[in-house]
Structures are given as C-alpha cells and as structure tokens.
Amino acid sequence: MVVGGKAAMDLGICMQGEMMESRWVVGFLEEHARVMRSAFILAGNLSDFKIDFICEMFAPLHAGDVQTERRMAQRFNLRPEDEPCLALQEAFSRLVQETSPEPPTEADLAEVAECLKKVEEARYDARGWAAATFTAAELSLLRTACELYARLAIGQGWVVGGYLGCPAEMSEAVYAFDRRFREVFFPELRGDAYYGINSQLVHDNARVAWDVLQVVRQHLAFTAQGKVVGQDKRDVRTMKGAEFDDPMQRSRLELITCSRI
C-alpha cells in the first residue's frame, strides 16, 4: 500500500531528487490542527484496515463543538457497538476480503504516526498560530488524508476503495461499500448522489480539510514543475488542472500557510 506517495502519483508527480530532499513549513491554527489530526487518524486507521474512526470523526472530541454543525456531527458521533457502525464494519470487512488490498508496511504506518505527532506537538504563538515542518512525502500524505476526510464528509464512500488501492476490476465491491456507507450516514441521498463541498448540509470541518488540501496540492504541483508558489508564474500551457489553481477559502477559517525551505 502506498500511503504518503499516493497523492503525488495522482498529481503526476515523481518525487525524486530535489523534491525528495525538500521541506515545507506549514502554519496553522488550532482548529486547522484538529481537522488535520482527525484526517491523519482516519488515514492511519484505514491503512491498518480499521473503519471505526469514520463513525466518530465529527464527535466533539475530534471535531470540536462547532455549534452550526451539530446536526451533521450527530451522524458521525457513533460508538463501535452502535448498529449503524456495526453495519459499516461488516461492509468494510467484505470489501477487504473481496479486493485483497496490499497490506501496509511498517514504514507506511510509521509515516502516518510521525505526521500526527508533528501536528499534536506543535506549539502555538500569541496569535494562535503554530508551525510544523514536513517532508515531500509527509506533505503528500497530508493532502491525501484531507481529501479522504473531506470526500467521506460529503457522501463519497467509494474513496475508501481508492485509498486502499483496490483493483479497478473490483469496482463493484467498492461501490457496494459506498452504497452501505451512504445508507448509514446519508440515507436521504439517492443513487450515486453526494453533497457539494459548499453545501450547508456538509460539516464545515470538511471544508477546512478541503482548504488545507488546496494549499498543499498547489505547492506539490508547482514543485513538480520546478517552480515555487508565490514566486513563479503559472504557465497555463503546461500547468493545467485544478492542482495549479490558487486556493479559495471555503471554510470558516483562513487558509493555512505553506512555504518551501
């Protein structure tokens, strides 16, 4: 299973040479950190073939108590023994059994743990901002984890299969899990429907995660082209795709900062 490098491959990035040696300083508020922490826990659990955290990812312990988001938070505030969570566990077990995804290596799990540690041990200044330094692989993992978190929050359960690297020929097994996921958490959705990230019915922490993703993926994409965000202009002839777009704040929080060192 490729964890940290998966997002880079999705962007067409080959992390070799100079990029592998690069470091980025990411600045964030405590509320950003809460979402980033949850995203890393989610990624680590799924990498280890565990599904329970999805059931509680918007519980106040992990997501804080965002008053305007309490209605959606209730859906993702379940205990492992609750019936909906048991149904999801059963569907996930079938997905793993039928698709036989590659198990994680110790290095995969250690990388997730290291990223989580950096966020948890960050120290905040008088303005309420903290910073953590990430390698290219760790920054790529942050992007992947935040996308996983955000897509689940809008009703796209199929992203679990993509994250685990399930073979394309096993798409029916992936979509069977997706259907059960939406039955448990989004019963009002029909067919393959899902919410847009800007929907008022989506927990705002999902938009926080999407904002983090936007910032990080732009830096990774520019670096893969030998360019630096904020210094080099985008060449629209060779730098096509959303990953090169300037981030647009969608959540209640201002955007994180990111700079290559």
Side-chain angles (χ1 to χ4, degrees):
M1 174 184 299
V2 180
V3 180
K6 182 172 177 56
M9 291 191 295
D10 290 345
L11 288 173
I13 294 172
C14 183
M15 293 198 299
Q16 296 179 354
E18 183 180 355
M19 186 168 183
M20 284 295 292
E21 299 299 323
S22 297
R23 298 290 186 274
W24 282 265
V25 175
V26 176
F28 48 87
L29 295 165
E30 189 170 1
E31 287 189 89
H32 290 123
R34 185 178 290 118
V35 172
M36 291 160 61
R37 175 182 180 275
S38 292
F40 282 135
I41 292 175
L42 174 63
N45 272 243
L46 285 177
S47 295
D48 203 22
F49 300 146
K50 298 174 183 176
I51 197 73
D52 289 356
F53 188 74
I54 290 179
C55 296
E56 58 176 321
M57 67 182 192
F58 287 145
L61 174 64
H62 305 296
D65 186 11
V66 183
Q67 186 172 359
T68 57
E69 311 303 322
R70 287 177 178 172
R71 182 178 178 182
M72 182 56 71
Q74 290 176 353
R75 300 190 186 193
F76 289 87
N77 187 9
L78 303 173
R79 297 170 299 177
E81 63 270 22
D82 289 340
E83 186 174 343
C85 198
L86 291 174
L88 190 69
Q89 291 170 3
E90 181 183 358
F92 183 69
S93 295
R94 286 200 303 270
L95 173 65
V96 172
Q97 183 177 8
E98 292 177 15
T99 62
S100 301
E102 182 182 347
T105 66
E106 290 187 9
D108 289 334
L109 298 178
E111 186 174 58
V112 178
E114 179 63 20
C115 289
L116 181 59
K117 180 181 178 182
K118 288 182 177 182
V119 173
E120 291 181 332
E121 294 184 352
R123 296 293 179 262
Y124 296 87
D125 61 21
R127 301 176 302 119
W129 283 82
T133 301
F134 294 97
T135 65
E138 290 169 345
L139 196 70
S140 182
L141 175 56
L142 175 59
R143 176 208 184 276
T144 302
C146 284
E147 181 169 5
L148 177 66
Y149 179 98
R151 288 192 181 278
L152 286 172
I154 64 175
Q156 294 182 336
W158 54 262
V159 74
V160 169
Y163 179 76
L164 294 178
C166 296
E169 61 269 21
M170 302 302 296
S171 60
E172 181 53 41
V174 173
Y175 283 102
F177 172 81
D178 176 58
R179 287 191 294 271
R180 178 50 61 93
F181 170 82
R182 284 185 285 109
E183 287 171 1
V184 170
F185 294 108
F186 299 94
E188 72 277 13
L189 296 178
R190 296 292 180 264
D192 295 331
Y194 55 88
Y195 289 116
I197 193 69
N198 293 322
S199 171
Q200 293 302 306
L201 297 175
V202 170
H203 197 294
D204 194 56
N205 280 11
R207 287 183 282 275
V208 173
W210 197 259
D211 285 354
V212 173
L213 176 155
Q214 290 184 81
V215 173
V216 168
R217 73 179 179 184
Q218 186 189 40
H219 279 268
L220 289 170
F222 266 63
T223 300
Q225 296 289 325
K227 298 182 181 295
V228 178
V229 174
Q231 296 182 21
D232 299 312
K233 290 185 177 181
R234 174 181 180 178
D235 185 342
V236 295
R237 297 169 300 177
T238 59
M239 302 170 72
K240 300 177 181 179
E243 63 269 22
F244 295 104
D245 291 347
D246 289 333
M248 179 183 299
Q249 181 182 341
R250 298 178 184 272
S251 73
R252 67 190 183 279
L253 304 180
E254 58 186 294
L255 295 173
I256 64 168
T257 63
C258 186
S259 58
R260 184 178 170 186
I261 57 175

